Amino acid sequence: MKKGILILMVFTLVMVLGSITFAQDQPLEITFWHHEAPAHRVAAFQKVIDLFMKENPNINLKQEVVMWGDAWVKTLAAIEANTLPDFQFGLPDFVTTMFKTGSLAPLTDLVKEIDEKYQIFPNQKNMYFYDGDYWGVPIMTMVMLMTYRPSFLEEYVGTTEPPKTWDEVLDYAKKITENSEEEVYGIGIGGAKNLMTDEQAYIFMASTGARFFDENGNITFNSPETIEALKLYNDLIKFAPPGAEAWSWGEIELNIAAGTLAMSPYFPSVQKRFHEEFDSDDYNAAHIPFYKDRTERGTITYPNEVHLYKDTLEKPGHKEAVYDFVRFMMRPDVNAILTSGQEPGGFFPTSVAASQAKEYWDDPIVKRFENAHKIAMEALNDYATLYGFEYGKWVNTGIGDISGADVLADTVNKVVSGQMTPEEAAAYGAELMTKYSAPIAQ
């Protein structure tokens, strides 16, 4: 009897130890969300994942695409349901919203490590800095430039030189639209209440020196500078195609490619189409023009970052796996896959090392449109910012809700639709912002 019990105990112990060994041999399952749905972008992410898993066979990475329009709602719901991924890609205003839920874990040690190794552009990392910590690691970034079709400028304006001031932009736009008898429109900007209008309108605000907040987080939207920006926007949209008041990103890109637009303050991201479908060089980008006598330019940049959830810290080994993957993505040769390899002109490096990587500049599309990429790197280094994040730190955590409500786009729409004057709209926008405003105590 005792012998039988002893055999049973030994058998049980062997089974338990075997189960433990088996469990340890299984790769960690790491899931992350990103928001780039086009097939070639998903493929670029998968290429990076496969390379990483080849070097780290103990980690099984899985990407899931969540459309930007669903990101806020789905993530907030996942927080409530305790179904968050291990980490997610996001933007500065998105991260401030998630921060307020208390779901984020700081990434200061990782940011400092990567910064020391690769030199992250200061304005990219600082958009994730608050209260002594970094809450996101900028992996890749976007920037809007003055994109244009050189052949249209030459044919209808008599020059291939892009405009250097906003007065010249207005002059070019008028000449192109009239001289082409509206076969080509001078400018491509939208007026709908959506994120694309937020992005384009901020370029005008940054050009005039307007801001959502001051350095203490107080709302300064209702200002002479904002009114000037709204007036300029309203003057220019008269030389956009009919229906531009309802446009989003797709319409801008289709009209650039179709030859309907001569210029657009937009991401220089249609390069892939010009190269592969048209085999054409007739697409370029220039610095954002100066506004009147101002000596500072302005444009928008969106550092796409990785943020980590507190729930992930409770899973053994998951934080370390995420850290390793972030380190891998920031390696210059790998980062090139997520920037020039994913969408040339759509995504750019966030570090000095990656911006100088041979793998980035050797991309055939980058080589063809090299000037646009050089201009983008200069803008990222010199003057590109984001609404609410111009001060090197968070000053108002309401910016995520303000952005989510498309307050700037709503304000622009009121003007371009004729419902309000620029003066009335600036006051209207400032009033809307007060509903969400949460200045950070200094």
Side-chain angles (χ1 to χ4, degrees), residues 129-304:
F129 187 71
Y130 169 63
D131 198 25
D133 279 310
Y134 291 98
W135 299 91
V137 183
I139 305 295
M140 55 197 182
T141 194
M142 308 167 76
V143 63
M144 281 193 172
L145 305 173
M146 180 54 76
T147 65
Y148 64 99
R149 300 284 300 270
S151 66
F152 293 155
L153 269 59
E154 184 174 24
E155 183 173 357
Y156 301 115
V157 184
T159 180
T160 56
E161 288 296 312
K164 294 180 174 60
T165 69
W166 282 107
D167 285 340
E168 284 188 348
V169 174
L170 191 58
D171 178 57
Y172 279 30
K174 184 174 187 294
K175 286 178 178 176
I176 292 165
T177 306
E178 293 177 353
N179 291 346
S180 72
E181 297 181 348
E182 299 187 358
E183 287 189 11
V184 179
Y185 289 84
I187 199 74
I189 51 177
K193 185 183 173 182
N194 60 29
L195 181 57
M196 197 272 292
T197 302
D198 287 328
E199 294 167 346
Q200 289 190 310
Y202 178 69
I203 295 175
F204 290 72
M205 288 188 63
S207 296
T208 63
R211 295 285 185 266
F212 282 20
F213 316 119
D214 64 19
E215 60 184 355
N216 294 315
N218 302 307
I219 295 171
T220 58
F221 187 78
N222 187 7
S223 68
E225 292 81 8
T226 298
I227 292 168
E228 285 295 303
L230 292 171
K231 285 179 179 177
L232 177 60
Y233 204 97
N234 197 40
D235 288 341
L236 264 174
I237 203 169
K238 293 169 185 171
F239 302 106
E245 295 85 357
W247 278 6
S248 188
W249 301 283
E251 288 80 8
I252 290 280
E253 296 186 11
L254 284 171
N255 279 274
I256 290 172
T260 310
L261 298 177
M263 301 182 293
S264 180
Y266 192 70
F267 304 115
S269 55
V270 196
Q271 296 172 25
K272 188 178 180 71
R273 191 163 189 183
F274 272 81
H275 178 74
E276 295 179 351
E277 294 184 30
F278 308 144
D279 191 21
S280 170
D281 301 314
D282 190 29
Y283 181 66
N284 208 340
H287 282 296
I288 294 296
F290 290 105
Y291 181 75
K292 296 190 182 298
D293 297 326
R294 280 180 56 83
T295 58
E296 295 180 9
R297 305 178 192 273
T299 193
I300 194 167
T301 178
Y302 268 124
N304 290 236

Side-chain angles (χ1 to χ4, degrees), residues 11 201 265 281 293 331 350 360 378 405 433:
F11 178 78
D281 301 314
D293 297 326
R331 228 172 65 185
T350 57
Y360 179 92
E378 290 172 5
M433 288 183 182

